[in-house]
């Protein structure tokens, strides 16, 4: 995010204190705005999503020449079960057990829970666990380009940013379309995994959350499809990447935020703001 974009966001927070209850508010995802309305928020809620940096674009792949790599990545400290790791490992084993030419690469913190999930089901399958080190966007983009297919069968997601970044890089993405993912994952953009209704999930400080179930058999079918028809899905994904990068450019996704900021400031200052809709904050 540029200094201009950061300043805009900071202004939103400050102005919201005085004008937010009258002008409206902002939410990062549709599911979150629905929750705010359900909880009793009476003002209009504008959805202001996440953008993708320019580094996330189709580029030179750095894939292994010996295996077909299905990749995933998440923080091992943020509920690997919520991210659908047990379902992903089970589905991968169902689809590719005994195959030495197809590999599941899991990039995460090697916590005891992550290791237990992987080791319990990995016998006879090519599954590797790579240590996740916090890195810059270019390192994340490099990781994405090192795989053939991105798998992201999350049961509950705040942003779902990795799936969005994978699409921007032109990768075939196998993903659920729930919670934070629902704003951009669809059958026209990804291979969508069937999910079930909300159910009590895993807790944080003894506060249970609600999460969707994942259809493991259908996830296995989706992974097999991505592998079997990789050439066509890869061509489709690279074409779709242009639309993703345009639809989720920072300039475009921050435009609704500017409208909310202007409303906040006009109410708090009583002065009409100059029209700067054509001003370009620049690229992140």
């Amino acid at each position: 995010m540029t200094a201009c974009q950061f300043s805009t966001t900071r202004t939103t927070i400050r102005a919201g204190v005085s004008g937010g209850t009258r002008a409206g508010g902002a939410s990062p995802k549709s599911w979150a705005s629905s929750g705010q309305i359900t909880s009793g928020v009476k003002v209009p809620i504008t959805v202001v999503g996440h953008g993708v940096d320019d580094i996330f674009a189709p580029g030179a792949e750095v894939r292994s020449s010996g295996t077909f790599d299905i990749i995933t990545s998440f923080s091992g400290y943020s509920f690997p079960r919520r991210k659908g790791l047990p379902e992903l490992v089970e589905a991968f084993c169902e689809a590719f057990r005994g195959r030495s030419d197809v590999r599941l690469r899991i990039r995460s913190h090697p916590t005891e829970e992550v290791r237990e999930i992987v080791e319990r089901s990995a016998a006879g399958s090519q599954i590797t666990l790579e240590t996740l080190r916090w890195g810059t966007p270019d390192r994340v983009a490099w990781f994405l380009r090192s795989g053939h297919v991105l798998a992201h069968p999350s049961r509950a997601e705040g942003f779902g940013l990795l799936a969005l970044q994978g699409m921007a890089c032109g990768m075939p993405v196998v993903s659920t379309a729930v919670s934070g993912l629902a704003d951009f994952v669809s059958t026209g953009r990804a291979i969508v995994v069937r999910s079930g209704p909300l159910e009590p999930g895993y807790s944080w400080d003894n506060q249970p959350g609600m999460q969707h179930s994942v259809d493991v058999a259908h996830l296995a079918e989706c992974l097999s499809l991505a592998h079997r028809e990789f050439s066509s899905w890869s061509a489709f994904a690279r074409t779709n990447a242009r639309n993703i990068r345009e639809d989720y450019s920072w300039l475009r996704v921050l435009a609704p935020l500017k409208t909310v900021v202007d409303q906040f400031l006009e109410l708090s200052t009583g002065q009409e703001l100059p029209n700067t809709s054509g001003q370009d904050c620049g690229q992140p």
Side-chain angles (χ1 to χ4, degrees):
M1 179 177 288
T2 64
C4 174
Q5 292 159 352
F6 175 79
S7 177
T8 301
T9 304
R10 182 177 58 187
T11 302
T12 304
I13 297 172
R14 290 176 175 172
V17 174
S18 59
T21 57
R22 292 171 290 162
S27 177
K29 289 291 178 179
S30 297
W31 71 269
S33 65
S34 299
Q36 288 173 312
I37 294 170
T38 302
S39 68
V41 175
K42 303 299 183 183
V43 297
I45 301 296
T46 300
V47 176
V48 182
H50 205 290
V52 288
D53 294 352
D54 284 348
I55 192 67
F56 296 103
E61 290 87 0
V62 285
R63 300 168 179 158
S64 167
S65 60
T67 58
F68 183 94
D69 284 345
I70 298 172
I71 63 173
T72 192
S73 180
F74 56 88
S75 168
Y77 302 113
S78 63
F79 305 119
R81 297 179 188 277
R82 189 188 71 189
K83 296 291 185 178
L85 181 61
E87 291 83 357
L88 176 58
V89 170
E90 182 180 351
F92 178 83
C93 292
E94 180 179 327
F96 303 110
R97 192 183 298 279
R99 299 272 307 255
S100 60
D101 59 330
V102 185
R103 177 173 58 173
L104 175 61
R105 290 170 48 209
I106 302 167
R107 180 174 174 264
S108 179
H109 300 102
T111 64
E112 183 177 345
E113 183 179 17
V114 170
R115 289 186 178 277
E116 188 273 330
I117 292 171
V118 172
E119 293 170 359
R120 184 180 59 209
S121 305
S125 298
Q126 292 282 86
I127 301 179
T128 61
L129 180 59
E130 304 173 10
T131 300
L132 171 64
R133 296 179 175 85
W134 301 115
T136 56
D138 61 312
R139 289 182 178 271
V140 178
W142 183 93
F143 170 75
L144 290 170
R145 296 194 191 104
S146 73
H148 293 81
V149 171
L150 174 66
H152 197 71
S154 185
R155 302 180 61 196
E157 196 70 53
F159 285 101
L161 188 54
L162 187 70
L164 184 62
Q165 292 168 338
M167 290 180 182
C169 285
M171 290 191 72
V173 173
V174 175
S175 174
T176 50
V178 299
S179 55
L181 293 162
D183 282 2
F184 58 86
V185 173
S186 65
T187 53
R189 290 175 168 172
I191 302 175
V192 179
V193 181
R194 279 199 299 263
S195 56
L198 284 169
E199 58 187 23
Y202 305 96
S203 63
W204 175 271
D205 289 341
N206 296 319
Q207 298 297 316
M210 300 295 289
Q211 300 166 17
H212 293 266
S213 60
V214 174
D215 186 329
V216 175
H218 188 245
L219 174 54
E221 292 175 9
C222 291
L223 295 175
S224 295
L225 174 65
H227 172 255
R228 186 174 62 252
E229 301 182 10
F230 173 71
S231 294
S232 58
W233 275 104
S234 180
F236 164 80
R238 290 180 74 88
T239 300
N240 184 55
R242 182 185 302 108
N243 298 328
I244 292 292
R245 285 163 48 76
E246 290 177 358
D247 292 346
Y248 293 91
S249 68
W250 279 110
L251 191 60
R252 176 167 292 187
V253 299
L254 288 176
L257 179 60
K258 180 185 181 302
T259 300
V260 175
V261 170
D262 287 351
Q263 292 173 343
F264 283 164
L265 294 180
E266 287 175 9
L267 283 170
S268 61
T269 63
Q271 298 178 356
E272 184 175 350
L273 297 178
N275 183 3
T276 58
S277 57
Q279 181 176 333
D280 188 346
C281 273
Q283 293 301 315

